[in-house]
Amino acid sequence: MFKKVIWATDGSTAADHALPLVRMLAAESRAPVLVVYCEEFTLPGKGGGSLPVQANEPEVEEKIRRQVSELTSDGLTASLEMTQSKVGGAAHAIADV
């Protein structure tokens, strides 16, 4: 049915609601799961630097890595692809992956 199942997540509860469907589709198709996460950064300020949009970025990344590990533990082939973008550019960055 599917050659690959892609789950783009931002680590939110809303994104987590898609995970059972991802599991089902991947299991039924025996397809690998590609988890895509885009870390968004603020636009540069006067000092020139940008910061992650999510203040709890390390926790979000750890949660997503744990979810990928759980998929693998469930017998699925799963990998994580991380990308970055400026705020508002996540959809394009994910589509590029």
Side-chain angles (χ1 to χ4, degrees):
M1 181 192 240
F2 294 101
K3 292 182 181 179
K4 184 181 288 186
V5 177
I6 299 174
W7 177 45
T9 181
D10 60 0
S12 68
T13 303
D16 292 346
H17 288 301
L19 195 50
L21 180 59
V22 167
R23 278 191 169 97
M24 183 190 70
L25 292 173
E28 287 179 357
S29 301
R30 298 179 190 248
V33 177
L34 175 61
V35 179
V36 183
Y37 173 67
C38 181
E39 181 180 15
E40 288 185 279
F41 288 89
T42 60
L43 297 175
K46 290 183 181 179
S50 19
L51 301 169
V53 170
Q54 296 195 58
N56 63 339
E57 187 64 38
E59 291 87 3
V60 171
E61 287 184 28
E62 177 56 34
K63 174 187 174 182
I64 294 168
R65 289 182 192 282
R66 191 172 52 254
Q67 289 171 318
V68 172
S69 292
E70 289 169 4
L71 289 169
T72 303
S73 295
D74 290 346
L76 300 172
T77 301
S79 60
L80 173 62
E81 178 88 24
M82 296 184 60
T83 187
Q84 297 178 340
S85 75
K86 298 291 184 203
V87 67
H92 292 288
I94 290 166
D96 287 344
V97 170

Coordinates of all heavy atoms in Angstrom, one line a residue:
M1 N 0.8 -1.2 0.0 CA 0.0 0.0 0.0 C 0.9 1.3 0.0 O 0.8 2.1 -0.9 CB -0.9 -0.1 1.2 CG -1.8 1.1 1.3 SD -2.6 1.1 2.9 CE -4.3 1.0 2.5
F2 N 1.7 1.4 1.0 CA 2.6 2.6 1.1 C 4.1 2.1 1.0 O 4.4 1.1 1.6 CB 2.4 3.4 2.4 CG 1.1 4.1 2.5 CD1 0.1 3.5 3.2 CD2 0.8 5.2 1.8 CE1 -1.2 4.1 3.3 CE2 -0.4 5.9 1.9 CZ -1.4 5.3 2.6
K3 N 4.9 2.9 0.4 CA 6.4 2.6 0.4 C 7.1 3.2 1.6 O 8.1 2.7 2.0 CB 7.0 3.1 -0.9 CG 6.6 2.3 -2.1 CD 7.3 2.8 -3.4 CE 6.8 2.1 -4.6 NZ 7.4 2.6 -5.8
K4 N 6.5 4.3 2.0 CA 7.1 5.0 3.2 C 6.0 5.8 3.8 O 5.2 6.4 3.1 CB 8.2 5.9 2.8 CG 9.0 6.6 3.9 CD 10.0 7.6 3.4 CE 11.2 6.7 2.9 NZ 12.4 7.6 2.5
V5 N 6.0 5.9 5.2 CA 5.1 6.7 5.9 C 5.9 7.8 6.5 O 6.8 7.6 7.2 CB 4.3 5.9 7.0 CG1 3.4 6.8 7.8 CG2 3.6 4.7 6.4
I6 N 5.4 9.1 6.3 CA 6.1 10.2 6.8 C 5.2 10.9 7.8 O 4.1 11.2 7.6 CB 6.5 11.3 5.7 CG1 7.4 10.6 4.7 CG2 7.1 12.5 6.3 CD1 7.7 11.5 3.4
W7 N 5.8 11.1 9.0 CA 5.1 11.8 10.1 C 5.9 13.0 10.4 O 7.0 13.0 11.0 CB 5.0 10.9 11.3 CG 4.3 11.5 12.5 CD1 3.2 12.3 12.5 CD2 4.8 11.5 13.8 NE1 2.9 12.7 13.8 CE2 3.9 12.2 14.6 CE3 5.8 10.8 14.5 CZ2 4.0 12.3 16.0 CZ3 6.0 11.0 15.8 CH2 5.1 11.7 16.6
A8 N 5.3 14.2 10.1 CA 5.9 15.5 10.4 C 5.3 15.9 11.8 O 4.1 15.9 11.9 CB 5.6 16.5 9.4
T9 N 6.2 16.2 12.7 CA 5.7 16.5 14.1 C 6.4 17.7 14.6 O 7.6 18.0 14.3 CB 5.9 15.3 15.0 OG1 5.4 15.7 16.3 CG2 7.3 14.9 15.1
D10 N 5.7 18.5 15.4 CA 6.3 19.6 16.1 C 6.4 19.3 17.6 O 6.7 20.1 18.4 CB 5.5 20.9 15.9 CG 4.1 20.8 16.4 OD1 3.6 19.7 16.9 OD2 3.3 21.8 16.2
G11 N 6.1 18.0 18.0 CA 6.2 17.6 19.4 C 4.9 18.0 20.2 O 4.9 17.7 21.4
S12 N 3.9 18.5 19.5 CA 2.7 18.9 20.2 C 1.8 17.7 20.5 O 1.9 16.7 19.8 CB 2.0 20.0 19.4 OG 1.4 19.4 18.2
T13 N 0.8 17.9 21.4 CA -0.2 16.9 21.6 C -1.0 16.7 20.4 O -1.4 15.5 20.1 CB -1.1 17.4 22.8 OG1 -0.3 17.7 23.9 CG2 -2.2 16.4 23.1
A14 N -1.3 17.7 19.6 CA -2.1 17.6 18.4 C -1.3 16.6 17.4 O -1.9 15.8 16.8 CB -2.3 18.9 17.7
A15 N 0.0 16.8 17.3 CA 0.8 16.0 16.4 C 0.8 14.5 16.9 O 0.8 13.6 16.1 CB 2.2 16.5 16.2
D16 N 0.8 14.4 18.2 CA 0.8 13.1 18.8 C -0.4 12.3 18.5 O -0.4 11.0 18.4 CB 1.0 13.1 20.3 CG 2.3 13.7 20.8 OD1 3.3 13.7 20.0 OD2 2.4 14.0 22.0
H17 N -1.5 12.9 18.2 CA -2.8 12.2 17.9 C -2.6 11.5 16.6 O -3.4 10.6 16.3 CB -3.9 13.2 17.8 CG -4.4 13.7 19.2 ND1 -4.8 12.9 20.2 CD2 -4.4 15.0 19.7 CE1 -5.1 13.6 21.3 NE2 -4.9 14.9 21.0
A18 N -1.7 11.9 15.7 CA -1.5 11.2 14.4 C -0.7 9.9 14.6 O -0.7 9.1 13.7 CB -0.9 12.1 13.4
L19 N 0.0 9.8 15.7 CA 0.9 8.7 15.8 C 0.3 7.3 15.8 O 0.8 6.4 15.1 CB 1.7 8.8 17.1 CG 3.0 8.0 17.3 CD1 3.9 8.0 16.1 CD2 3.7 8.4 18.6
P20 N -0.9 7.0 16.3 CA -1.5 5.7 16.2 C -1.8 5.4 14.7 O -1.6 4.2 14.3 CB -2.8 5.8 17.0 CG -2.5 6.9 18.0 CD -1.6 7.9 17.3
L21 N -2.2 6.4 13.9 CA -2.5 6.2 12.5 C -1.2 5.9 11.8 O -1.1 5.0 10.9 CB -3.2 7.4 11.9 CG -3.5 7.3 10.4 CD1 -4.4 6.1 10.1 CD2 -4.1 8.5 9.9
V22 N -0.1 6.6 12.1 CA 1.2 6.3 11.5 C 1.6 4.9 11.8 O 2.1 4.1 10.9 CB 2.3 7.3 12.1 CG1 3.7 6.8 11.7 CG2 2.0 8.7 11.6
R23 N 1.5 4.4 13.0 CA 1.8 3.0 13.4 C 1.0 2.0 12.6 O 1.6 1.1 12.0 CB 1.5 2.8 14.9 CG 2.6 3.2 15.8 CD 2.2 2.7 17.2 NE 3.4 2.9 18.1 CZ 3.5 3.9 18.9 NH1 2.6 4.8 19.0 NH2 4.6 4.0 19.6
M24 N -0.3 2.3 12.5 CA -1.2 1.4 11.7 C -0.8 1.3 10.3 O -0.6 0.2 9.7 CB -2.6 1.8 11.9 CG -3.6 0.8 11.2 SD -5.3 1.5 11.1 CE -5.1 2.8 9.9
L25 N -0.6 2.4 9.6 CA -0.3 2.5 8.2 C 1.1 1.8 7.9 O 1.2 1.0 7.0 CB -0.3 3.9 7.7 CG -1.6 4.6 7.6 CD1 -1.4 6.1 7.3 CD2 -2.6 3.9 6.7
A26 N 2.0 2.1 8.8 CA 3.4 1.5 8.6 C 3.3 0.0 8.8 O 3.9 -0.8 8.0 CB 4.4 2.1 9.5
A27 N 2.6 -0.5 9.8 CA 2.5 -1.9 10.1 C 1.8 -2.7 9.0 O 2.3 -3.7 8.5 CB 1.8 -2.2 11.4
E28 N 0.7 -2.1 8.5 CA -0.1 -2.8 7.5 C 0.7 -2.8 6.2 O 0.6 -3.8 5.4 CB -1.4 -2.0 7.2 CG -2.4 -2.3 8.3 CD -3.7 -1.5 8.1 OE1 -3.8 -0.8 7.1 OE2 -4.7 -1.7 8.9
S29 N 1.5 -1.8 5.9 CA 2.2 -1.7 4.6 C 3.6 -2.3 4.7 O 4.3 -2.4 3.7 CB 2.3 -0.3 4.2 OG 1.0 0.3 4.0
R30 N 4.0 -2.6 6.0 CA 5.4 -3.0 6.2 C 6.4 -1.9 5.6 O 7.4 -2.2 5.0 CB 5.7 -4.3 5.6 CG 4.9 -5.4 6.2 CD 5.2 -6.8 5.6 NE 4.3 -7.8 6.0 CZ 4.6 -8.8 6.8 NH1 5.8 -8.9 7.2 NH2 3.6 -9.6 7.1
A31 N 6.0 -0.7 5.8 CA 6.7 0.5 5.3 C 7.5 1.1 6.4 O 7.1 1.2 7.6 CB 5.8 1.5 4.7
P32 N 8.7 1.7 6.1 CA 9.4 2.4 7.1 C 8.8 3.7 7.4 O 8.0 4.3 6.6 CB 10.8 2.6 6.4 CG 10.5 2.6 4.9 CD 9.4 1.6 4.8
V33 N 9.0 4.2 8.6 CA 8.5 5.5 9.0 C 9.6 6.5 9.0 O 10.6 6.3 9.6 CB 7.8 5.4 10.4 CG1 7.3 6.8 10.9 CG2 6.7 4.4 10.5
L34 N 9.4 7.6 8.4 CA 10.3 8.8 8.4 C 9.7 9.8 9.3 O 8.6 10.4 8.9 CB 10.6 9.3 7.1 CG 11.5 10.5 7.0 CD1 12.9 10.3 7.7 CD2 11.7 11.0 5.6
V35 N 10.2 10.1 10.4 CA 9.7 11.2 11.3 C 10.5 12.4 11.0 O 11.8 12.4 10.9 CB 9.9 10.8 12.8 CG1 9.4 11.9 13.7 CG2 9.2 9.5 13.1
V36 N 9.8 13.5 10.7 CA 10.5 14.8 10.3 C 10.1 15.8 11.4 O 8.9 16.0 11.7 CB 10.0 15.3 8.9 CG1 10.7 16.5 8.5 CG2 10.2 14.2 7.9
Y37 N 11.1 16.5 11.9 CA 11.0 17.6 12.8 C 11.8 18.8 12.4 O 12.9 18.7 12.0 CB 11.5 17.2 14.2 CG 11.5 18.3 15.2 CD1 10.2 18.9 15.6 CD2 12.6 18.8 15.7 CE1 10.2 19.9 16.5 CE2 12.6 19.9 16.6 CZ 11.4 20.4 17.0 OH 11.4 21.5 17.8
C38 N 11.1 19.9 12.4 CA 11.8 21.2 12.0 C 11.9 22.1 13.1 O 10.9 22.5 13.7 CB 10.9 21.8 10.8 SG 11.7 23.4 10.3
E39 N 13.1 22.4 13.5 CA 13.3 23.4 14.5 C 13.3 24.8 13.9 O 14.0 25.1 13.0 CB 14.7 23.2 15.2 CG 15.0 24.1 16.3 CD 16.4 23.9 16.9 OE1 17.2 23.2 16.3 OE2 16.6 24.4 18.0
E40 N 12.3 25.6 14.4 CA 12.2 27.0 13.9 C 12.9 28.0 14.7 O 12.9 27.9 15.9 CB 10.7 27.3 13.8 CG 9.9 26.6 12.8 CD 8.5 27.1 12.7 OE1 7.7 26.7 13.5 OE2 8.2 28.0 11.8
F41 N 13.5 28.9 14.1 CA 14.2 30.0 14.7 C 13.6 31.4 14.5 O 13.0 31.6 13.4 CB 15.7 30.0 14.3 CG 16.5 28.9 14.8 CD1 16.5 27.7 14.0 CD2 17.2 29.0 16.0 CE1 17.3 26.6 14.5 CE2 17.9 27.9 16.4 CZ 18.0 26.7 15.7
T42 N 13.7 32.2 15.5 CA 13.2 33.6 15.3 C 14.0 34.3 14.3 O 15.1 33.9 14.0 CB 13.3 34.4 16.7 OG1 14.7 34.4 17.1 CG2 12.5 33.7 17.8
L43 N 13.5 35.4 13.8 CA 14.2 36.3 12.9 C 15.3 36.9 13.7 O 15.1 37.2 14.9 CB 13.3 37.3 12.2 CG 12.2 36.7 11.3 CD1 11.3 37.8 10.8 CD2 12.8 35.9 10.2
P44 N 16.4 37.2 13.1 CA 17.6 37.8 13.8 C 17.1 39.2 14.4 O 16.4 40.0 13.7 CB 18.6 38.0 12.7 CG 18.3 37.1 11.7 CD 16.8 36.9 11.7
G45 N 17.6 39.4 15.6 CA 17.3 40.7 16.2 C 18.4 41.7 15.9 O 19.3 41.5 15.1
K46 N 18.4 42.8 16.7 CA 19.4 43.8 16.4 C 20.8 43.3 16.7 O 21.8 43.7 16.0 CB 19.1 45.0 17.3 CG 17.9 45.8 16.9 CD 17.7 47.0 17.8 CE 16.5 47.7 17.4 NZ 16.2 48.9 18.2
G47 N 21.0 42.3 17.6 CA 22.3 41.7 17.8 C 22.7 40.7 16.8 O 23.8 40.2 16.8
G48 N 21.8 40.4 15.9 CA 22.1 39.5 14.8 C 21.8 38.0 15.0 O 21.8 37.2 14.1
G49 N 21.5 37.6 16.3 CA 21.3 36.2 16.6 C 19.8 35.8 16.5 O 18.9 36.7 16.6
S50 N 19.6 34.6 16.3 CA 18.2 34.1 16.4 C 18.1 33.0 17.4 O 19.1 32.3 17.7 CB 17.7 33.6 15.0 OG 18.6 33.3 14.1
L51 N 16.9 32.8 17.9 CA 16.7 31.8 19.0 C 15.7 30.8 18.6 O 14.8 31.1 17.7 CB 16.2 32.5 20.3 CG 17.2 33.6 20.8 CD1 16.5 34.4 21.9 CD2 18.4 32.9 21.4
P52 N 15.7 29.6 19.1 CA 14.6 28.6 18.8 C 13.3 29.2 19.3 O 13.1 29.9 20.3 CB 14.9 27.4 19.7 CG 16.4 27.5 20.0 CD 16.7 29.0 20.0
V53 N 12.2 29.0 18.4 CA 10.9 29.5 18.7 C 10.4 28.9 20.0 O 9.7 29.5 20.8 CB 10.0 29.2 17.5 CG1 8.5 29.5 17.9 CG2 10.4 30.1 16.3
Q54 N 10.6 27.6 20.2 CA 10.1 26.9 21.4 C 11.2 27.0 22.5 O 12.3 26.6 22.3 CB 9.9 25.4 21.1 CG 8.8 25.2 20.1 CD 8.3 23.8 20.0 OE1 7.9 23.3 21.0 NE2 8.4 23.1 18.9
A55 N 10.8 27.5 23.6 CA 11.7 27.7 24.7 C 12.2 26.4 25.3 O 13.3 26.3 25.8 CB 11.0 28.5 25.8
N56 N 11.4 25.4 25.1 CA 11.7 24.0 25.7 C 12.2 23.1 24.6 O 12.0 21.9 24.6 CB 10.5 23.4 26.4 CG 9.4 23.2 25.4 OD1 9.3 23.8 24.4 ND2 8.5 22.3 25.8
E57 N 13.0 23.6 23.6 CA 13.5 22.9 22.5 C 14.2 21.6 22.9 O 13.9 20.5 22.2 CB 14.4 23.8 21.6 CG 14.8 23.2 20.3 CD 13.7 22.9 19.4 OE1 12.8 23.8 19.3 OE2 13.7 21.9 18.7
P58 N 15.1 21.6 23.8 CA 15.7 20.3 24.2 C 14.7 19.2 24.6 O 14.9 18.0 24.2 CB 16.7 20.6 25.3 CG 17.0 22.1 25.1 CD 15.7 22.7 24.6
E59 N 13.7 19.6 25.3 CA 12.7 18.6 25.8 C 11.9 18.1 24.6 O 11.5 16.9 24.6 CB 11.8 19.2 26.9 CG 12.5 19.5 28.2 CD 13.2 20.9 28.2 OE1 13.1 21.7 27.3 OE2 13.8 21.2 29.2
V60 N 11.5 19.0 23.7 CA 10.8 18.6 22.5 C 11.6 17.6 21.7 O 11.0 16.5 21.3 CB 10.3 19.8 21.7 CG1 9.7 19.4 20.4 CG2 9.4 20.7 22.5
E61 N 12.8 17.9 21.5 CA 13.7 17.0 20.7 C 13.8 15.6 21.4 O 13.7 14.6 20.7 CB 15.0 17.6 20.4 CG 15.0 18.7 19.4 CD 16.4 19.3 19.1 OE1 17.4 18.5 19.3 OE2 16.5 20.4 18.8
E62 N 14.0 15.6 22.7 CA 14.1 14.4 23.4 C 12.8 13.6 23.3 O 12.8 12.3 23.1 CB 14.4 14.6 24.9 CG 14.5 13.4 25.7 CD 15.5 12.3 25.2 OE1 16.5 12.7 24.6 OE2 15.2 11.1 25.4
K63 N 11.7 14.2 23.4 CA 10.4 13.5 23.3 C 10.2 12.9 21.9 O 9.8 11.7 21.8 CB 9.2 14.5 23.5 CG 7.8 13.9 23.2 CD 6.8 15.0 23.3 CE 5.4 14.4 22.9 NZ 4.4 15.4 22.9
I64 N 10.6 13.6 20.9 CA 10.5 13.0 19.5 C 11.5 11.9 19.3 O 11.1 10.9 18.7 CB 10.7 14.1 18.5 CG1 9.5 15.2 18.6 CG2 10.8 13.6 17.1 CD1 9.7 16.4 17.8
R65 N 12.7 12.0 19.8 CA 13.6 10.9 19.7 C 13.1 9.6 20.5 O 13.3 8.5 20.0 CB 15.0 11.3 20.3 CG 15.7 12.3 19.4 CD 17.1 12.6 20.0 NE 17.7 13.8 19.4 CZ 18.3 13.7 18.2 NH1 18.3 12.6 17.5 NH2 18.8 14.8 17.6
R66 N 12.5 9.9 21.6 CA 11.9 8.8 22.4 C 10.7 8.1 21.5 O 10.6 6.9 21.5 CB 11.4 9.3 23.7 CG 11.0 8.2 24.7 CD 10.7 8.7 26.1 NE 9.7 9.8 26.1 CZ 10.0 11.1 26.3 NH1 11.2 11.5 26.5 NH2 9.1 12.1 26.3
Q67 N 9.9 8.9 20.9 CA 8.8 8.4 20.1 C 9.4 7.5 18.9 O 8.8 6.5 18.6 CB 7.9 9.5 19.5 CG 7.1 10.1 20.6 CD 6.4 11.4 20.2 OE1 7.0 12.2 19.5 NE2 5.1 11.5 20.6
V68 N 10.5 8.0 18.3 CA 11.1 7.2 17.2 C 11.6 5.9 17.8 O 11.4 4.8 17.2 CB 12.2 8.0 16.6 CG1 13.0 7.1 15.6 CG2 11.7 9.2 15.8
S69 N 12.2 5.9 19.0 CA 12.7 4.7 19.6 C 11.5 3.7 19.9 O 11.7 2.5 19.7 CB 13.4 5.0 20.9 OG 14.6 5.6 20.6
E70 N 10.4 4.3 20.3 CA 9.2 3.4 20.6 C 8.7 2.8 19.3 O 8.3 1.6 19.4 CB 8.1 4.3 21.3 CG 8.5 4.7 22.7 CD 7.5 5.7 23.3 OE1 6.5 6.1 22.6 OE2 7.8 6.2 24.4
L71 N 8.7 3.5 18.2 CA 8.3 2.9 17.0 C 9.2 1.7 16.6 O 8.7 0.7 16.2 CB 8.3 4.0 15.8 CG 7.3 5.1 15.9 CD1 7.6 6.2 14.9 CD2 5.9 4.5 15.6
T72 N 10.5 1.9 16.8 CA 11.4 0.9 16.5 C 11.2 -0.3 17.5 O 11.3 -1.5 17.0 CB 12.9 1.4 16.6 OG1 13.0 2.5 15.7 CG2 13.9 0.3 16.3
S73 N 11.0 0.0 18.7 CA 10.7 -1.1 19.7 C 9.5 -1.9 19.4 O 9.3 -3.0 19.7 CB 10.6 -0.5 21.1 OG 11.8 0.1 21.5
D74 N 8.5 -1.2 18.7 CA 7.3 -1.9 18.3 C 7.5 -2.7 17.0 O 6.5 -3.3 16.5 CB 6.2 -0.9 18.0 CG 5.7 -0.2 19.2 OD1 6.0 -0.7 20.4 OD2 5.0 0.9 19.1
G75 N 8.7 -2.8 16.5 CA 9.0 -3.6 15.4 C 9.0 -2.9 14.0 O 9.1 -3.6 13.0
L76 N 8.8 -1.6 14.1 CA 8.8 -0.9 12.8 C 10.2 -0.3 12.5 O 11.0 -0.2 13.4 CB 7.8 0.3 12.9 CG 6.3 -0.1 13.2 CD1 5.5 1.2 13.5 CD2 5.7 -0.8 12.0
T77 N 10.4 0.0 11.3 CA 11.6 0.6 10.9 C 11.3 2.1 10.9 O 10.4 2.6 10.2 CB 12.1 0.2 9.5 OG1 12.2 -1.2 9.5 CG2 13.3 0.9 9.1
A78 N 12.0 2.8 11.8 CA 11.8 4.3 11.9 C 13.1 5.0 12.0 O 14.1 4.6 12.6 CB 11.0 4.5 13.2
S79 N 13.1 6.2 11.4 CA 14.2 7.1 11.4 C 13.8 8.5 11.6 O 12.6 8.9 11.3 CB 15.1 7.0 10.2 OG 14.3 7.3 9.0
L80 N 14.7 9.4 12.1 CA 14.4 10.8 12.4 C 15.2 11.7 11.5 O 16.4 11.5 11.4 CB 14.6 11.1 13.8 CG 14.5 12.6 14.2 CD1 13.1 13.1 14.0 CD2 15.0 12.7 15.7
E81 N 14.6 12.6 10.8 CA 15.2 13.6 10.0 C 14.9 14.9 10.6 O 13.7 15.3 10.7 CB 14.7 13.5 8.6 CG 15.3 14.6 7.7 CD 16.6 14.1 7.0 OE1 16.9 12.9 6.9 OE2 17.4 15.0 6.6
M82 N 15.9 15.6 11.0 CA 15.7 17.0 11.6 C 16.2 18.0 10.7 O 17.2 17.8 10.0 CB 16.5 17.1 13.0 CG 16.0 16.1 14.0 SD 16.7 16.2 15.6 CE 16.4 17.9 16.0
T83 N 15.4 19.1 10.6 CA 15.8 20.2 9.7 C 15.5 21.5 10.5 O 15.0 21.5 11.6 CB 14.9 20.1 8.4 OG1 15.4 21.1 7.5 CG2 13.5 20.3 8.7
Q84 N 15.9 22.6 9.9 CA 15.8 23.9 10.5 C 15.2 24.9 9.5 O 15.4 24.8 8.3 CB 17.1 24.4 11.1 CG 17.7 23.6 12.1 CD 19.1 24.1 12.6 OE1 19.7 24.9 11.9 NE2 19.5 23.7 13.8
S85 N 14.5 25.9 10.1 CA 14.0 27.0 9.3 C 13.8 28.3 10.1 O 13.8 28.2 11.3 CB 12.7 26.7 8.6 OG 11.6 26.7 9.5
K86 N 13.7 29.4 9.5 CA 13.2 30.6 10.2 C 11.7 30.4 10.5 O 11.0 29.6 9.8 CB 13.4 31.8 9.3 CG 14.9 32.1 8.9 CD 15.7 32.5 10.1 CE 17.1 32.8 9.7 NZ 18.0 32.7 10.8
V87 N 11.3 31.2 11.4 CA 9.9 31.1 11.8 C 9.0 31.3 10.6 O 9.2 32.1 9.7 CB 9.5 32.1 12.9 CG1 9.6 33.6 12.4 CG2 8.2 31.9 13.5
G88 N 8.0 30.4 10.5 CA 7.0 30.4 9.4 C 7.5 29.6 8.2 O 6.7 29.4 7.2
G89 N 8.7 29.0 8.2 CA 9.2 28.3 7.1 C 9.2 26.8 7.3 O 9.7 26.0 6.4
A90 N 8.6 26.3 8.3 CA 8.7 24.8 8.6 C 8.0 24.0 7.5 O 8.6 22.9 7.2 CB 8.0 24.5 10.0
A91 N 6.9 24.4 7.0 CA 6.2 23.6 6.0 C 7.1 23.4 4.8 O 7.2 22.3 4.2 CB 4.9 24.2 5.6
H92 N 7.8 24.4 4.3 CA 8.7 24.3 3.2 C 9.9 23.4 3.5 O 10.3 22.6 2.7 CB 9.2 25.7 2.7 CG 8.1 26.5 2.1 ND1 7.5 26.2 0.9 CD2 7.4 27.6 2.6 CE1 6.6 27.1 0.7 NE2 6.5 27.9 1.7
A93 N 10.5 23.6 4.7 CA 11.6 22.7 5.1 C 11.2 21.3 5.2 O 12.0 20.4 4.8 CB 12.1 23.2 6.5
I94 N 10.0 21.0 5.7 CA 9.5 19.6 5.8 C 9.3 19.1 4.4 O 9.7 17.9 4.1 CB 8.3 19.5 6.6 CG1 8.6 19.8 8.1 CG2 7.6 18.2 6.5 CD1 7.4 20.1 9.0
A95 N 8.7 19.8 3.5 CA 8.5 19.4 2.1 C 9.8 19.1 1.4 O 9.9 18.2 0.6 CB 7.7 20.4 1.3
D96 N 10.9 19.9 1.7 CA 12.2 19.6 1.1 C 12.7 18.3 1.5 O 13.5 17.6 0.7 CB 13.1 20.8 1.5 CG 12.8 22.1 0.7 OD1 12.1 22.0 -0.3 OD2 13.4 23.1 1.2
V97 N 12.4 17.9 2.8 CA 12.9 16.6 3.2 C 12.2 15.5 2.5 O 12.8 14.5 2.0 CB 12.7 16.4 4.7 CG1 13.0 15.0 5.2 CG2 13.5 17.4 5.5

